[in-house]
Amino acid sequence: MTYLEHTQDVLGQWLAWRRTDGVALVIVTATEGGAVRLPGALMAVSVTGERCGYISGGCIDADVAMHALEALRSGRIERLRYGSGSPFIDLPLPCGGAIEVWVLPDPQASVLRACHDRLAARQPVTLNLSASGELRLGHPTVASALSFRYMPKLRLRIAGRGADSLALARLAAASGIQTELQLRDGADVQAARRLEIEPITELTLPSTLPALNDDPYTAFLLAFHDVDWEESLLAQALTGPALYIGAVGSKTTHARRCERLRAVGIAERQISRIRGPVGLLPSMREASALAVSALAEIVDAYQRKVRFPFRSTALVLLAAGQSSRFEEGDKLLARFRGQRLIQRAATALQGHDLAARIAVIGPDQAARAVELRAAGWTVVVNAQAAQGLSTSLAAGIQQAGQCQHVEAALVLLADMPNVPDAHLIDLRHALTPERTAVMSVSEMTHSPPAIFDRAVFDRLIGLAGDAGAGRVFQSLERTATVPIPADWALDIDTRDDLAQALSFKDYSTCWHSP
């Protein structure tokens, strides 16, 4: 068995085996209870019985592989369930939960190759599985399809000298983490080559650093104890999107380092991104122990980014519209796919851990407040709602700013019922540390939902009249946009709008993020 688990690696092995013979792909499609793997976990099984990847803690992998071999012989898709409610009573799951898997004996190689290549290019990708077993990439186009979101692998860039750099690089490489070393000492370069750590970049002068190639899935660790190198390398890293920036040294050393960065004009919010001293365990003196401690902290930062992207985000729902154009009372109390529009809006990111859920309503909208509070939202009543959208936006952002640990606010409108969580996740991942805002864009027009870094909260609060967040967005630097399909961007003002929204497919329940 090949012990690979990241989607990119499993698909890479599947493609390699596929060049010479048949190979099945196993996908975890659902879990219940304490299952070890998440929906979307993959395993490849070749016609010779070789396996790559795993879908449990070892409880069922061998049995699934046996079914995969049978599927390769028959050419039929297998759908299997293990644990609670399973026909395989001789294979109970110790966790007490359940795992459902699909075995695809002949999935589309072109789709899996494209999925692999996108991950190799350091881009997230969504793989859709239809009820018939067909695979495709991109946003779901069939409501009954299952969609699995995959993120690029963790990458580590280490700049430094001596044993600390080499020990961390050796441990990371052994853990399957793509690692780049940037070294200035020739002896360190030779030692790294003997350890077969690649790539290695030789540093020459602090004023001529290599071009920055960090992405949102890169962690950077500084292992220099040299003032000039520290300042240059950290200042450069802070201009990029790295998910983690750390620097070795004591608390005193780190305090002095931060003072020097302030002196050269680095903003306090940027300086706060630097972890120092590094590591989950403080005061590690041995290089090997420091490496374990630092790598644990780096892996934790990566897992928080890919699995809990909204933990420091406040969700701000603007629900204070007057329904002046809606023909039959309060539009947010109208029925939509078996529930009220306001109830539909309240389910946004329901399965995610958020720093806060804040809904803004107008006066005399008690029915909306009842529904929102029942769904666990903090309700803010905007007494100035009639003066324009900006007053509701300001009220929501002001409330978000008062919440501890909030670093960003994701703003959405309650009358946009077709926006799936998938789009909100795309927006959150696009707001990397060096950006100030990300908006949706439909047919060349900026629109909600949008997400804003805390650094621009004051500008949003200062808006007046019926101006929306787009005015602030246009004035900002370092922004980005995420395309949103026209059917997702539709907002409800009239009965005809509601009928049109109902005519589109519902993608709200088909999303999984392994």
Side-chain angles (χ1 to χ4, degrees):
M1 179 175 177
T2 304
Y3 286 95
L4 300 172
E5 59 179 327
H6 191 274
T7 304
Q8 179 184 332
D9 296 328
V10 175
L11 292 179
Q13 187 62 71
W14 187 94
L15 291 166
W17 284 337
R18 183 67 166 72
R19 294 188 194 104
T20 58
D21 215 330
V23 53
L25 184 72
V26 180
I27 304 178
V28 175
T29 55
T31 62
E32 297 174 12
V36 175
R37 313 299 166 206
L38 292 171
L42 303 179
M43 183 168 73
V45 182
S46 74
V47 291
T48 61
E50 292 181 277
R51 284 186 274 150
C52 172
Y54 40 92
I55 57 172
S56 75
C59 319
I60 63 170
D61 292 62
D63 191 72
V64 171
M66 180 187 69
H67 283 278
L69 291 174
E70 177 57 34
L72 284 168
R73 286 189 288 268
S74 68
R76 294 192 299 270
I77 294 173
E78 294 266 6
R79 297 175 176 83
L80 309 171
R81 181 180 174 91
Y82 294 88
S84 175
S86 169
F88 309 121
I89 58 174
D90 56 332
L91 288 171
L93 299 184
C95 61
I99 302 174
E100 294 183 5
V101 302
W102 284 32
V103 181
L104 308 179
D106 189 27
Q108 301 100 299
S110 60
V111 174
L112 297 184
R113 184 176 297 107
C115 184
H116 169 273
D117 291 350
R118 187 168 177 84
L119 290 170
R122 313 290 297 163
Q123 297 294 322
V125 64
T126 301
L127 182 66
N128 300 282
L129 173 64
S130 73
S132 64
E134 182 181 1
L135 297 173
R136 65 175 299 277
L137 298 187
H139 289 303
T141 58
V142 178
S144 60
L146 297 172
S147 291
F148 306 102
R149 179 74 163 177
Y150 299 107
M151 310 306 291
K153 298 170 69 174
L154 171 62
R155 174 179 172 269
L156 175 61
R157 180 170 67 91
I158 306 167
R161 65 185 304 177
D164 291 347
S165 300
L166 295 174
L168 179 58
R170 182 172 63 246
L171 181 62
S175 302
I177 297 170
Q178 179 187 341
T179 304
E180 177 187 358
L181 271 171
Q182 295 180 329
L183 304 170
R184 65 174 296 246
D185 190 295
D188 288 340
V189 172
Q190 293 303 315
R193 286 176 177 158
R194 285 194 297 271
L195 293 170
E196 299 182 345
I197 298 171
E198 294 287 348
I200 302 169
T201 302
E202 296 189 45
L203 300 174
T204 55
L205 295 171
S207 58
T208 57
L209 297 179
L212 186 69
N213 63 350
D214 294 348
D215 61 32
Y217 311 97
T218 295
F220 170 67
L221 188 126
L222 177 77
F224 269 114
H225 297 278
D226 182 300
V227 172
D228 292 335
W229 283 103
E230 283 187 350
E231 184 179 308
S232 296
L233 286 161
L234 287 172
Q236 182 194 54
L238 290 170
T239 66
L243 67 92
Y244 172 98
I245 298 175
V248 301
S250 66
K251 291 183 179 179
T252 301
T253 298
H254 186 64
R256 291 172 180 166
R257 177 188 294 136
C258 293
E259 281 301 322
R260 289 193 298 272
L261 292 171
R262 291 186 190 99
V264 297
I266 305 297
E268 194 65 38
R269 185 163 173 77
Q270 286 289 76
I271 294 172
S272 68
R273 292 173 58 194
I274 305 171
R275 310 279 188 101
V278 298
L280 292 183
L281 299 175
S283 304
M284 292 291 98
R285 302 296 184 180
E286 300 82 8
S288 58
L290 176 61
V292 172
S293 180
L295 188 61
E297 185 175 68
I298 289 166
V299 170
D300 178 65
Y302 172 78
Q303 289 297 325
R304 286 174 182 271
K305 177 179 178 61
V306 300
R307 294 187 60 183
F308 307 105
F310 296 99
R311 183 163 282 179
S312 61
T313 302
L315 189 59
V316 177
L317 180 69
L318 303 185
Q322 299 301 303
S323 301
S324 58
R325 295 171 55 195
F326 200 74
E327 295 85 351
E328 299 177 25
D330 188 342
K331 66 180 179 181
L332 295 187
L333 301 182
R335 306 297 293 184
F336 183 87
R337 302 191 193 279
Q339 57 186 166
R340 298 186 188 277
L341 273 175
I342 191 67
Q343 293 173 321
R344 170 85 167 196
T347 64
L349 298 174
Q350 196 169 47
H352 289 265
D353 184 8
L354 288 114
R357 296 176 185 269
I358 300 162
V360 182
I361 63 170
D364 303 321
Q365 294 177 340
R368 297 182 186 183
V370 169
E371 298 289 357
L372 290 163
R373 290 193 178 104
W377 290 72
T378 297
V379 175
V380 176
V381 179
N382 174 23
Q384 286 78 43
Q387 297 179 19
L389 177 65
S390 65
T391 62
S392 292
L393 178 62
I397 295 297
Q398 189 167 37
Q399 179 70 31
Q402 295 172 4
C403 298
Q404 192 175 17
H405 306 308
V406 166
E407 297 178 2
L410 176 58
V411 180
L412 61 157
L413 305 184
D415 61 0
M416 295 178 69
N418 281 339
V419 179
D421 285 358
H423 184 70
L424 304 181
I425 292 170
D426 284 344
L427 288 169
R428 184 63 190 88
H429 282 302
L431 187 71
T432 50
E434 85 285 10
R435 289 176 176 157
T436 54
V438 181
M439 285 200 79
S440 305
V441 61
S442 177
E443 299 177 350
M444 305 297 291
T445 301
H446 294 122
S447 73
I451 187 166
F452 295 89
D453 184 87
R454 188 185 188 100
V456 300
F457 280 11
D458 286 347
R459 298 175 71 169
L460 294 169
I461 293 171
L463 285 169
D466 206 35
R471 179 176 296 178
V472 170
F473 183 84
Q474 296 287 0
S475 70
L476 296 174
E477 298 179 350
R478 299 178 289 115
T479 62
T481 58
V482 173
I484 183 171
D487 52 339
W488 294 1
L490 179 69
D491 62 333
I492 308 299
D493 288 322
T494 66
R495 268 285 169 187
D496 287 343
D497 294 336
L498 185 63
Q500 185 179 5
L502 284 166
S503 71
F504 296 129
K505 295 185 177 74
D506 181 10
Y507 304 114
S508 62
T509 60
C510 61
W511 185 264
H512 301 273
S513 185

